[in-house]
């Protein structure tokens, strides 16, 4: 055992991780409910959340370019706000991803069982988890290679979907005569906002969680050949990534078909769009793409959870064994612990789907917004710290600091507040249960702080900074 991660991720790995990180399986399977709720106006919901993610990622990019670390925003919160903040948000984020492991493993198992029913669904979930655990245990390079191809398939598939769909919308796709396609679908069926402007905000609640994963590139940068360059590049490119993959593909869906077409709800938005073009086996094609997205999300989820556990172990906020790595720079204990909790969650999904597992899903649902809020407050403080200690490290800067940071934080608080009024889509339950779990973690953090004893803030900050810097070694 050693105590450092290794720089095993190549630049091409980081580039694809950054691109693939914003394309979750939720984009494919969750967009139909958003379209049904807001109509073509769902484009504004995606644009609003996309803008929010761009701003949050800009703040995270500023801090991570100055101090690339596998703990990312948790390590920055530790330094900027105090040990309680780094501890709390780190464990909440870990909890979010181990629950995601169970959700994605089950989703992938359903698809695979449909193809090969001889293997039961729980068996497929087990196989998928074991294979990707083995991948992560080999080396960070093997994780990067798998993710490079998984993300590559997603990117090519969405790119092809946008090109083919756009050609059909403008009536220039050879061999296809789609009688439903056209820009008129944006306004002809009850207007651009058929359910009123309030549906835009409801749409935000339905799509916001499909954006989680954008921050993975900043965690992975700590194990790359050139961390600062990797963070800067992924931060600067997120605008076009969200514009193309989210807004571009959803625009194609709502122009290929009327928003209230029953097939969108019955088959899913992307399958319905492909079917409308008469493309053979559209459902199976999309199932393959969704399976790829699920495997990508599982692969990255396990990587992300283990690196957060590793960082927490380094800072003394998790068992010290989590901070130990193998000779290949793999935090084995952190990976095994994360996947064990993932397996337990899979068990709950099959044994108690409507009680224990539903609680796990809802109680982790608002963690994305909590993470983004902590990033805002961390950046407000970290900018001053970086300017005082090493201003040359400010290679990425948040726009209109501090005004835009405060505006972003206010928008996140507004979305959380609006969720409390949403009883139709479980928004209120999600926020309340997530707040309950957050309160428990915060209580543990403050008790832990009391046990540590009353040290000065400066001493705590200096220790946090020293421990949060990963000993990244060249292979």
């Amino acid at each position: 055992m050693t105590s450092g991660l290794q720089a095993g991720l190549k630049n091409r790995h980081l580039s694809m991780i950054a691109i693939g990180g914003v394309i979750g399986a939720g984009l494919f399977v969750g967009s139909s409910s958003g379209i049904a709720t807001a109509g073509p106006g769902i484009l504004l919901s995606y644009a609003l959340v996309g803008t929010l993610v761009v701003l949050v990622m800009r703040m995270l990019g500023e801090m991570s370019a100055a101090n690339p670390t596998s703990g990312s925003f948790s390590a920055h919160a530790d330094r900027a706000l105090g040990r309680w903040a780094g501890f709390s948000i780190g464990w909440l984020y870990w909890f979010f991803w181990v629950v995601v492991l169970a959700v994605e493993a089950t989703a992938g198992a359903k698809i695979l069982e449909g193809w090969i029913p001889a293997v039961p669904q729980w068996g497929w979930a087990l196989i998928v988890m074991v294979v990707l655990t083995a991948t992560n245990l080999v080396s960070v390079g093997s994780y990067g290679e798998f993710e490079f191809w998984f993300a590559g398939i997603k990117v090519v598939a969405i790119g092809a979907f946008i090109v083919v769909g756009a050609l059909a919308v403008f009536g220039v796709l050879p061999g296809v005569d789609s009688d439903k396609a056209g820009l008129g679908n944006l306004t002809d069926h009850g207007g651009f906002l058929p359910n009123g402007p309030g549906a835009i905000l409801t749409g935000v609640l339905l799509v916001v969680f499909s954006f989680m994963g954008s921050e993975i590139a900043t965690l992975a940068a700590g194990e790359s050949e050139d961390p600062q360059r990797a963070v800067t590049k992924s931060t600067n490119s997120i605008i076009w990534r969200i514009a193309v993959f989210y807004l571009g593909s959803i625009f194609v869906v709502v122009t290929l078909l009327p928003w209230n077409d029953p097939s969108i709800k019955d088959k899913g938005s992307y399958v319905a769009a492909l079917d409308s073009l008469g493309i053979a086996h559209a459902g199976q094609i999309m199932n393959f793409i969704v399976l790829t997205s699920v495997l990508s999300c599982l692969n990255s989820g396990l990587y992300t959870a283990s690196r957060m556990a590793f960082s927490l172990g380094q800072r003394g906020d998790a068992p010290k064994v989590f901070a130990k790595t193998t000779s290949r720079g793999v935090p084995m204990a952190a990976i095994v612990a994360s996947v064990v909790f993932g397996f337990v969650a899979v068990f709950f999904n099959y044994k108690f789907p409507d009680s224990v597992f539903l609680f796990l899903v809802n109680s982790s649902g608002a963690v994305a917004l909590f993470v983004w809020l902590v990033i805002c407050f961390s950046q407000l403080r970290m900018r001053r710290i970086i300017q005082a200690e090493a201003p040359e490290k400010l290679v990425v800067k948040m726009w209109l600091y501090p005004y835009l940071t405060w505006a972003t934080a206010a928008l996140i608080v507004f979305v959380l507040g609006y969720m409390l009024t949403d009883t139709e889509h479980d928004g209120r339950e999600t926020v309340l249960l997530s707040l309950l779990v957050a309160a428990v973690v915060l209580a543990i953090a403050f008790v832990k702080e009391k046990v540590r004893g009353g040290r000065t803030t400066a001493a705590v900050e200096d220790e946090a900074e020293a421990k949060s810097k990963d000993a990244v070694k060249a292979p």
Side-chain angles (χ1 to χ4, degrees):
M1 290 283 186
T2 64
S3 59
L5 301 174
Q6 291 186 355
L9 292 176
K10 297 179 171 63
N11 288 330
R12 66 181 177 88
H13 293 154
L14 258 293
S15 296
M16 200 56 79
I17 289 168
I19 294 171
V22 297
I23 310 171
L27 174 62
F28 300 106
V29 297
S31 54
S32 54
S33 58
I35 292 170
T37 300
I42 194 66
L43 284 167
L44 297 180
S45 302
Y46 273 103
L48 191 60
V49 179
T51 301
L52 191 63
V53 172
V54 167
L55 293 173
V56 170
M57 281 300 296
R58 187 75 186 180
M59 298 175 218
L60 183 55
E62 176 182 297
M63 296 185 288
S64 295
N67 182 26
T69 167
S70 64
S72 188
F73 51 83
S74 172
H76 304 321
D78 196 310
R79 169 82 166 127
L81 305 177
R83 295 297 293 270
W84 63 270
F87 175 95
S88 303
I89 206 64
W91 277 114
L92 284 172
Y93 191 68
W94 179 87
F95 171 58
F96 170 85
W97 278 110
V98 294
V99 173
V100 166
L101 291 181
V103 173
E104 300 292 346
T106 305
K110 283 180 181 176
I111 295 173
L112 289 164
E113 187 191 28
W115 291 343
I116 308 176
V119 180
Q121 201 177 106
W122 66 265
W124 278 120
L126 186 68
I127 290 168
V128 165
M129 291 277 272
V130 167
V131 169
L132 293 178
T133 301
T135 302
N136 274 265
L137 284 172
V138 171
S139 70
V140 68
S142 64
Y143 153 72
E145 200 62 34
F146 265 70
E147 190 56 25
F148 177 81
W149 291 106
F150 285 153
I153 292 171
K154 286 192 293 186
V155 169
V156 170
I158 293 188
F161 175 81
I162 292 171
V163 171
V164 170
L167 290 174
V169 168
F170 292 105
V172 291
L173 185 65
V176 171
D177 181 24
S178 179
D179 56 346
K180 294 182 178 180
L183 295 176
N185 284 328
L186 294 174
T187 54
D188 288 350
H189 306 276
F192 186 69
L193 296 171
N195 296 325
I200 296 172
L201 287 174
T202 307
V204 165
L205 307 187
L206 295 173
V207 306
V208 67
F209 305 111
S210 66
F211 282 82
M212 194 66 169
S214 308
E215 66 292 324
I216 291 175
T218 64
L219 279 91
E223 293 173 84
S224 68
E225 297 164 339
D226 188 349
Q228 191 178 75
R229 179 178 176 272
V231 169
T232 304
K233 190 175 178 182
S234 67
T235 302
N236 290 337
S237 65
I238 193 164
I239 296 175
W240 72 260
R241 285 186 272 133
I242 287 175
V244 171
F245 298 123
Y246 278 87
L247 293 176
S249 62
I250 295 297
F251 174 81
V252 166
V253 170
V254 296
T255 49
L256 281 177
L257 285 169
W259 70 272
N260 53 1
D261 192 299
S263 65
I264 291 179
K265 189 174 182 181
D266 296 339
K267 302 176 183 177
S269 51
Y270 287 79
V271 173
L274 288 175
D275 268 345
S276 74
L277 299 177
I279 294 176
H281 310 297
Q284 292 304 326
I285 292 171
M286 193 49 64
N287 271 342
F288 172 73
I289 296 168
V290 171
L291 178 63
T292 304
S293 293
V294 163
L295 294 176
S296 169
C297 196
L298 262 174
N299 194 36
S300 286
L302 182 52
Y303 171 84
T304 305
S306 64
R307 276 9 180 227
M308 186 57 74
F310 169 83
S311 179
L312 287 165
Q314 265 201 327
R315 289 176 274 144
D317 289 333
K320 287 183 179 179
V321 68
F322 285 3
K324 299 292 183 183
T325 59
T326 66
S327 58
R328 296 185 301 275
V330 174
M332 184 182 290
I335 291 174
V336 171
S338 299
V339 84
V340 164
F341 276 89
F343 275 126
V344 170
V346 168
F347 169 76
F348 285 145
N349 194 6
Y350 288 105
K351 196 73 176 173
F352 313 106
D354 299 320
S355 54
V356 180
F357 187 69
L358 190 62
F359 169 80
L360 289 176
V361 171
N362 284 335
S363 62
S364 65
V367 166
L369 292 165
F370 295 166
V371 167
W372 296 347
L373 198 57
V374 166
I375 289 172
C376 291
F377 291 126
S378 298
Q379 190 264 339
L380 285 168
R381 180 88 195 283
M382 278 298 290
R383 167 67 77 90
R384 296 198 297 271
I385 294 173
I386 297 168
Q387 282 179 326
E389 296 180 356
E392 71 280 359
K393 289 186 177 182
L394 278 173
V395 292
V396 175
K397 286 187 178 182
M398 176 58 183
W399 307 296
L400 298 177
Y401 168 85
Y403 309 108
L404 205 47
T405 302
W406 280 112
T408 305
L411 182 58
I412 295 169
V413 171
F414 173 78
V415 171
L416 284 167
Y418 188 78
M419 285 180 74
L420 289 172
T421 69
D422 175 49
T423 53
E424 185 181 350
H425 304 100
D426 299 326
R428 175 182 292 177
E429 186 178 7
T430 296
V431 173
L432 292 177
L433 287 176
S434 296
L435 284 171
L436 173 64
V437 172
V440 170
V441 175
L442 274 170
I444 294 171
F446 284 122
V447 168
K448 188 175 174 65
E449 201 71 15
K450 284 282 187 185
V451 171
R452 276 182 177 139
R455 288 167 292 169
T456 65
T457 304
V460 171
E461 285 182 349
D462 288 342
E463 181 188 328
E465 181 187 25
K467 287 188 176 182
S468 68
K469 289 181 178 177
D470 293 343
V472 181
K473 303 182 297 182

